[in-house]
Amino acid sequence: MLYLTQRMPLLNPSEDENKSPGSTKYHQHITEMSQTIQTSCSLDEYDEGKKTLGASTIKFGELVILGYNGCLPSGNRGRRRSRFALFKRETPNGVKPDKQYEVSPQKPGQAVKSKGKHTISYTLSRHQTIVVEYSADQNTDMFQIGRSTEPVIDFVVMDTVPGAKSQEECTILESTISRFACRIIVDRDPPYASRIYAAGFNSTNNIFLGEKACKWKTEPGMDGLTTNGVLIMRPRGGFQGDAKPGVWREVSVCGNIYSLRETRSSQQRGKLIESENNILEDGTLIDLCGATLLWRSATGLLRTPTQKHLEQLRQGINDSRPQCPIGFNTLVLPKHRHQTAKQFLEENSKQPYAYLKCGHVHGYHQWDSNSNQERTDRTCPMCRDIGPYEALTMGNEASFYVDSSSPTHAFCPCGHVCSEKTTKYWSQVPLPHGTHAFQAACPFCATPLAGDQGFIKLIFQEAID
């Protein structure tokens, strides 16, 4: 099966077929293009992404937020969505360092004298500010990510709340994500190298590193880190079935790579890693201190299972007609999760549940249950193991898969189902948590993993005819 992500405009079937090379080739072309739009994000998202960026059909890659199973709880709309495609812009908007100068305390307005100029200001003291001025770069495109909804931000990212199923549950009191968190500069010519930098330019095309910000002088000029930092982690061996997590690093405002600070907001920078660069590789994780993004390159997406393929795998499980060993009713693995346990019972009595200690799959039942509350430990009637009893739901975000194998395993304790190698990979990835902690989490809902491995092999009982 081909896993294609290149979108192409559909031909108008009303056009005269005689204008085509031949009717056979015409229909073959239609078939091929119909296959290409079976991608891991919908055609609506593709059109919306192009509309937002004013873009061509050349795709650089995608950014996908961990913790969402294909869609935000409030829906994917405009620049607020669970995934964002980067297309080549019609007009380049990249910038590159041009010149550096010191601003006199008597003339503070010099740092922001021109709205058309991109600048980075480094305030060293009340009496000394270094300004680095940037000029237009016709060979690159720039994309900015952050919490701000200002037009200069291409991808609006809010804090991820683990396990949130509704927009109300996503509400937080105080965000730790910067309004202008980071920027990605992509070469407009092959191989379309994508480089990440901490901090993004605001609506006046400026980046300000105040007196208390972590900054320092370098041989070329100046450099610095944002308050909570931008961390990246590249997988070892590529983002594929045998991938292993790499080492977390921090990227600076100028794109240099450093070891991690003692805490996210420490004033002391880490050690410069001269052997590493800021080029994003397929599967690179980007942490913004409140949300973690996964970078999928255009070539990496070619190896990613499509939504159509994931649906076929889900249907394959359902076609085997698995049964509940207690109620003997046929179970159906759903594509989406309902809001509450009551909806599970009222709307879908075929919903499969699993004992996440042993992996035995059942329908919902009250056996050995002292309450109707969710996520209480239960005793499996098949093997007597005691552990969480959770509803199973298909992992729908294809970009999180490291292979295209059958969904045979589930994350613990959330119950998201995907392939064995995918569960193994993410169970080994230490995702940043808080100011200096790390923990593995389910990529589909951001729930911290539990149990001996963080996942379990599912045991279905086939139908007895």
Side-chain angles (χ1 to χ4, degrees):
M1 177 176 291
L2 295 177
Y3 305 137
L4 301 177
T5 59
Q6 179 69 39
R7 276 78 162 188
M8 301 174 65
L10 291 177
L11 293 176
N12 185 355
S14 64
E15 293 179 357
D16 186 1
E17 294 187 9
N18 293 329
K19 295 180 181 179
S20 66
S23 59
T24 302
K25 291 185 178 180
Y26 175 87
H27 290 292
Q28 181 181 359
H29 189 49
I30 288 292
T31 302
E32 292 174 350
M33 288 193 296
S34 297
Q35 292 174 346
T36 63
I37 65 173
Q38 299 295 338
T39 62
S40 55
C41 70
S42 69
L43 189 58
D44 290 339
E45 284 191 50
Y46 164 72
D47 290 337
E48 185 65 34
K50 288 190 63 181
K51 186 191 304 180
T52 302
L53 299 176
S56 69
T57 57
I58 297 177
K59 186 176 184 178
F60 296 138
E62 289 185 355
L63 291 169
V64 189
I65 308 178
L66 267 61
Y68 301 106
N69 196 15
C71 185
L72 297 178
S74 59
N76 290 338
R77 299 182 183 88
R79 294 174 294 153
R80 279 290 314 277
R81 51 183 59 249
S82 64
R83 59 190 302 144
F84 177 74
L86 282 67
F87 290 94
K88 184 176 181 179
R89 297 183 186 273
E90 295 290 354
T91 304
N93 70 331
V95 294
K96 57 185 178 181
D98 186 13
K99 56 185 178 182
Q100 175 179 310
Y101 51 86
E102 184 174 341
V103 177
S104 170
Q106 287 76 25
K107 299 179 180 179
Q110 184 177 357
V112 290
K113 61 181 180 180
S114 175
K115 188 175 181 180
K117 292 284 187 180
H118 287 78
T119 60
I120 301 181
S121 300
Y122 301 86
T123 302
L124 303 181
S125 68
R126 294 179 59 187
H127 307 290
Q128 186 180 21
T129 298
I130 304 298
V131 176
V132 178
E133 196 170 285
Y134 283 65
S135 60
D137 185 357
Q138 298 299 315
N139 299 314
T140 61
D141 288 339
M142 180 170 66
F143 305 88
Q144 299 206 130
I145 300 98
R147 178 170 50 87
S148 173
T149 57
E150 294 185 21
V152 292
I153 296 297
D154 298 291
F155 188 23
V156 179
V157 177
M158 305 301 290
D159 296 69
T160 301
V161 178
K165 302 182 183 69
S166 64
Q167 186 175 3
E168 291 73 19
E169 293 177 342
C170 293
T171 303
I172 58 170
L173 297 178
E174 186 175 353
S175 175
T176 53
I177 300 176
S178 172
R179 296 178 65 241
F180 308 95
C182 67
R183 62 195 190 278
I184 296 176
I185 305 291
V186 187
D187 292 343
R188 289 173 61 85
D189 297 320
Y192 308 118
S194 303
R195 296 174 174 85
I196 186 170
Y197 301 82
F201 294 99
N202 62 18
S203 57
T204 58
N205 295 332
N206 294 292
I207 295 174
F208 295 97
L209 293 182
E211 192 173 345
K212 295 182 179 180
C214 182
K215 55 194 174 303
W216 59 93
K217 292 184 178 181
T218 64
E219 187 174 339
M222 293 293 299
D223 203 354
L225 304 174
T226 54
T227 302
N228 289 328
V230 175
L231 310 185
I232 63 172
M233 190 273 282
R234 301 181 180 92
R236 291 186 285 115
F239 195 69
Q240 43 78 34
D242 297 323
K244 300 292 182 182
V247 179
W248 283 98
R249 305 294 193 194
E250 182 165 9
V251 62
S252 72
V253 172
C254 294
N256 295 308
I257 303 300
Y258 292 84
S259 61
L260 300 187
R261 292 178 271 181
E262 289 188 6
T263 61
R264 289 296 289 258
S265 58
S266 172
Q267 295 294 307
Q268 183 63 41
R269 69 179 185 271
K271 180 181 178 182
L272 176 65
I273 311 297
E274 297 182 1
S275 59
E276 298 183 17
N277 57 46
N278 62 334
I279 297 179
L280 297 175
E281 300 173 1
D282 185 43
T284 298
L285 289 174
I286 304 168
D287 187 78
L288 305 179
C289 194
T292 305
L293 281 58
L294 173 68
W295 168 258
R296 296 306 312 270
S297 66
T299 54
L301 288 170
L302 293 174
R303 302 186 295 270
T304 300
T306 64
Q307 284 292 334
K308 182 178 180 180
H309 180 67
L310 293 183
E311 180 62 17
Q312 289 174 342
L313 294 177
R314 187 181 72 88
Q315 284 299 129
I317 292 178
N318 293 335
D319 290 344
S320 67
R321 296 175 60 209
Q323 279 190 345
C324 172
I326 299 297
F328 298 105
N329 55 307
T330 301
L331 305 176
V332 178
L333 179 65
K335 185 176 182 179
H336 301 289
R337 177 170 295 187
H338 297 283
Q339 297 292 328
T340 64
K342 183 178 180 181
Q343 286 180 317
F344 274 132
L345 296 175
E346 293 179 351
E347 300 178 18
N348 191 356
S349 61
K350 298 181 179 180
Q351 167 68 45
Y353 279 71
Y355 289 90
L356 297 179
K357 180 72 174 179
C358 57
H360 285 110
V361 179
H362 293 248
Y364 185 81
H365 58 78
Q366 298 290 340
W367 190 87
D368 189 44
S369 174
N370 295 324
S371 71
N372 292 325
Q373 296 180 354
E374 294 181 279
R375 295 184 177 87
T376 55
D377 285 350
R378 302 270 289 272
T379 301
C380 174
M382 304 295 290
C383 65
R384 310 297 293 179
D385 272 347
I386 301 175
Y389 180 65
E390 182 61 56
L392 299 179
T393 307
M394 186 70 181
N396 295 317
E397 181 50 74
S399 294
F400 298 151
Y401 283 71
V402 297
D403 68 345
S404 303
S405 301
S406 299
T408 57
H409 289 61
F411 285 107
C412 303
C414 59
H416 279 107
V417 180
C418 58
S419 67
E420 177 182 8
K421 290 185 176 180
T422 299
T423 57
K424 284 185 176 180
Y425 174 72
W426 289 105
S427 67
Q428 300 175 61
V429 176
L431 296 173
H433 175 67
T435 58
H436 57 273
F438 292 82
Q439 63 183 12
C442 170
F444 302 105
C445 66
T447 300
L449 300 185
D452 297 335
Q453 303 179 98
F455 62 91
I456 192 72
K457 179 179 173 61
L458 298 174
I459 304 174
F460 289 90
Q461 176 172 298
E462 295 185 1
I464 302 176
D465 295 324

